[in-house]
Amino acid sequence: MVDNPQQNGVSKGKLGPQQLDVILRRLEVLQTTPSAAAGLLQRVLSSWRRSAAPTQVQEELAAFVSCDPAVAAFLLHAAGSDSDSPPGSVRQAVAMLDVESLAVMAMSMEVLAPPTPRRKDAFDHAEFYRHCQAVAAGCRIIARRLELPVDPQEAWLAGLLHDLGKLALDLCLPKSFRRVLDAARSHQGNLVEYEQHILGVDHGLVGHRLAQQWRLPQALGAAMWLHHQPMGMIPPSSAGAPLIAVVGLADAIARHKNIGFSGNYAFAIPLEEQAKSAGLLAEELDEIAAGMAAEADRCFRLLGLENPWDNQPYVRAMRAVGEQLARANRDQRRATVELAGGAEAFGRLADFTSRLTAQAGVGEVLERIAILFAGVTNTAVAPDRPVAAYCLGDPGEPILAVRYDGTGSPSWRTLTARLPLDQAALQRPGPADRAVSALLAEPRELDLWLDVSNHSHQPLVCASQIIGGVLYPSAPTQPEAAPSAEMREAICGAVALALAIVGGRQRATLLGEQLAAASTVLAETHLALAEAKTLAAIGELAAGAAHEINNPLAVISGRAQLMRDKTAEENDRKTWATIAEQAQRISDIITELMDFASPQPPAQVAIDARAFLDAVTAMFRSGDHPKASSAMVDIEVDEGTPQLWADRKQLEEVLVEAMTNAANAAQTDLRLTLAAEADEINSAVLLTVSDRGPGMDPATVDAAFTPFFSLQPAGRRRGLGLPRAKRYVENNAGRMWLRSRKGEGTRVFIQIPHKPG
Amino acid sequence: MRQKAVYTTGEAAEVCKLSQQTIIRCFDSGQLQGFRVPGSKFRRIPRDSLIRFMKDNNIPLDGIESGKTRVLIVDDDPEIVELFVDVLKADGRFEVATAQTGYDAGVLTQQFHPDILVLDFMLPDINGNVVCKTIRQNPELCKTKILIISGVVNPAEVDRLMEAGADDFIKKPFNIEKVVQRMVELVS
């Protein structure tokens, strides 16, 4: 790293926030001493060679790394960069990386150049490390002593890395940082002030930025940033507050007791005050300091910092690790060759998946699975060496199976599954005949279709459930190129997933279809219900109206009758009579509407069809329709027509209404045919009233049963006749409809239940 | 039209076409029920007991009755009541009393002893079938006919009225001639 303010975009020697970011982005790795780097490499190497007790090896490596702030930060960075959840401690980071990655990490650590006699080192790395180690130890001791809600490992790490910003500044801006150090020393001042004055940033902020950039745990970043802040400045409620306080206190103790070198010479707050506010006595400080010094000593020796610049062990260790990596590389190449064998199988799998479309059904997928397996197992399929694939249905549903022998199109069967299925037996690959007897309720179903005597069974398992399987010839035609069992398992996993997805989608489609059908029924029910509700409301309204309207009508009609009787003049008499009649008519409309909306519950009796039609005809003829008396009515009743089961009076009205309707339409003499026949499918009798009249157009047919729809001139008829007839029929559990075409007459159908039993 | 409710022995003698002495003897023997005016010896005979006495002794009722059919019209609609009064008065064969509530109907029935009640089914205080039941529970009114006339035509309701003791049902609006004819048929 070159300390060139111009190159780094530093104006007047000070850094702006963006410039700081630019500089730190270039910082991929920190530097450590050759002795520490050598120790790291040796430990990585031994962990590589002694694969026996990985936990112990990991522990040793973690303990070593935990003494070196540069290595520890870099390790956390390396482990966290590829992970969704960055490690919270060195031990976790070590466990997250495999040994090859650790080796690469160790090899890529940069090594500090030894100080030359020409350039006296203002920044004593070895003693700075001692300071960091002491603070780390102090943090752990204080956290335990005060029983703070801080993990001791985390406390150690926070102490170790608290001055990471200084290492970064030393590496990125060596000349400027040395100026800072010199100034602080010569003035015996506060380092932070000089950093801000000379560099524009202090090491706390640099550490914080680096922690963010390297995805170190947030609490560590906060401790690096704020450990110089007076304790009262940090809100005690903030999450990292205890850790920041502990780091600040441990840093102060280390500096007060002169353990190592921090580059700082001044104290913002007297140590005693700081200790007191933390809840520690002055005597305790000495005890803590002693523990810190001892721990720092241990770490110092572990990193070989008594002789930090000895390059020989480092070079030897680099060579040894390099050789080990080369060996690993050779192994890797061998594995690659082996994998190439399986690549063809995966190529076929890729072909399988690429041919699957979003619309593929279970059948199509099964067919492709059979073809895929013929290729994957290197089996040249032939009529005597077929491959079969099957898919299980829901419990109780048949098994769908396909047989593929390379000639023509595949053949399909549905097979009966054995219940309950022996999942455990079927999920083990093995001889096909054993699988077939576990799978099928009747294994003979396969006779003449699939001979599995020399076949193997490969189950397709998804979410611990067998969903299907493949039966393939046990002896491959090219055994040497057959993929390994693991490869086959992997392919089966993918294939099973495809089958499960397609099966699931097919079930969802089926469910959708069923739901659609159900919703149609629901919509119809809804309509019927709405109609029933509407009719009920009309019935209620009409009943209320009947009471309110019939009283005044009675007065109008009664008074008109009295006036009629008093009047001698014939014209006046007619007028009064008309008033009385029309009042009566209004009342009749209301009564009819009420009856249409809520007809009386039917009093059903057995009715003989022929006698009934005769009686209705007589009734119609004696009625007051002008065409009734001259009407020609044919009655046709089939042999064996059962008795009707209906309210006689209501049914009479229905028939008379149908006949009246025909009479109204008839342009010449009225000719009608009344017929009755058995309607066995509906347990009913079908009555028809056919005329030879002019017929209706489709719009009239559609509206024929709509209340108050009438082809008669306005005022002539109310148009409640047919709708009310239909209501009566439905009231008697029947159906009424009509068929008519212009010029071909009209036929009214009345379906009425036949007598039960 | 108000009926006389209490008769003196002289009036009773005139109604029965008997001597006053005979009436006094029958009064004193208990055959003719009545009371003495408090603080005096004057005898008084209520209309009910006079009618019972005449019936028991086969004395023609012409003297106490007008010979007309007594009709009590009960309807909460005054226009309907008025219509009936006009029709029946014009006819001449009827003696008419009217009520607009079930309560009034009950009181008047006791006093007026109608031959026939023309009763609206929906009254403001009590329903027509309650009136029917009350009348039917009174043995003195066992011969009173009840003709229901209503604008509501729910056949189930009509059935209930017939069960409660109504003699017939006619729907509003009605043909006046038919109503009068039916009334005459019922009381004859």
Side-chain angles (χ1 to χ4, degrees), chain A residues 550-551 558-559 561 584 587, chain B residues 83 86 151 171-174 176:
Chain A
N550 278 334
N551 261 8
R559 289 288 169 197
Q561 290 172 55
Q584 183 62 49
S587 175
Chain B
L83 176 68
D86 287 355
K171 184 184 153 304
K172 287 180 192 166
F174 40 76
I176 286 175

Side-chain angles (χ1 to χ4, degrees), chain A residues 540-551:
Chain A
E540 217 167 288
L541 186 74
H547 183 237
E548 293 300 326
I549 294 175
N550 278 334
N551 261 8

Side-chain angles (χ1 to χ4, degrees), chain B residues 20-39:
Chain B
Q20 192 172 3
Q21 279 308 111
T22 311
I23 290 297
I24 289 171
R25 209 177 316 118
C26 289
F27 185 100
D28 292 344
S29 71
Q31 269 183 286
L32 180 55
Q33 297 278 313
F35 60 91
R36 286 176 192 274
V37 176

Side-chain angles (χ1 to χ4, degrees), chain A residues 102 179 182 197 253 319 348 392 452 475 563 664 677:
Chain A
L102 283 170
R179 280 212 335 263
D182 285 341
H197 184 69
I253 296 172
R319 194 178 301 139
R348 289 180 191 276
L392 295 171
V452 296
M563 291 302 288
N664 287 336
E677 60 182 290

Side-chain angles (χ1 to χ4, degrees), chain A residues 457-620:
Chain A
H457 173 245
Q458 173 63 49
L460 298 177
V461 177
C462 190
S464 308
Q465 292 288 311
I466 181 161
I467 59 167
V470 184
L471 305 166
Y472 61 98
S474 304
T477 37
Q478 290 174 275
E480 68 287 351
S484 64
E486 290 84 1
M487 193 78 67
R488 208 173 54 230
E489 284 289 327
I491 289 171
C492 286
V495 165
L497 191 62
L499 188 60
I501 290 169
V502 172
R505 203 187 53 215
Q506 198 153 307
R507 270 194 290 277
T509 307
L510 195 67
L511 185 66
E513 287 163 0
Q514 288 167 345
L515 280 176
S519 77
T520 308
V521 173
L522 202 64
E524 281 166 7
T525 313
H526 186 76
L527 270 182
L529 200 67
E531 193 182 319
K533 270 190 176 172
T534 308
L535 287 172
I538 292 173
E540 217 167 288
L541 186 74
H547 183 237
E548 293 300 326
I549 294 175
N550 278 334
N551 261 8
L553 284 179
V555 175
I556 293 169
S557 146
R559 289 288 169 197
Q561 290 172 55
L562 287 184
M563 291 302 288
R564 177 196 61 195
D565 297 345
K566 277 183 194 164
T567 312
E569 173 61 40
E570 187 54 30
N571 271 349
D572 291 351
R573 284 179 62 84
K574 269 189 184 164
T575 305
W576 290 118
T578 305
I579 292 173
E581 279 162 19
Q582 292 304 309
Q584 183 62 49
R585 215 177 126 194
I586 295 173
S587 175
D588 288 348
I589 293 173
I590 293 162
T591 307
E592 232 175 276
L593 188 61
M594 208 163 82
D595 202 32
F596 164 73
S598 9
Q600 290 303 304
Q604 283 154 313
V605 292
I607 300 168
D608 177 72
R610 177 168 287 281
F612 176 73
L613 292 182
D614 285 339
V616 165
T617 304
M619 201 180 292
F620 174 68

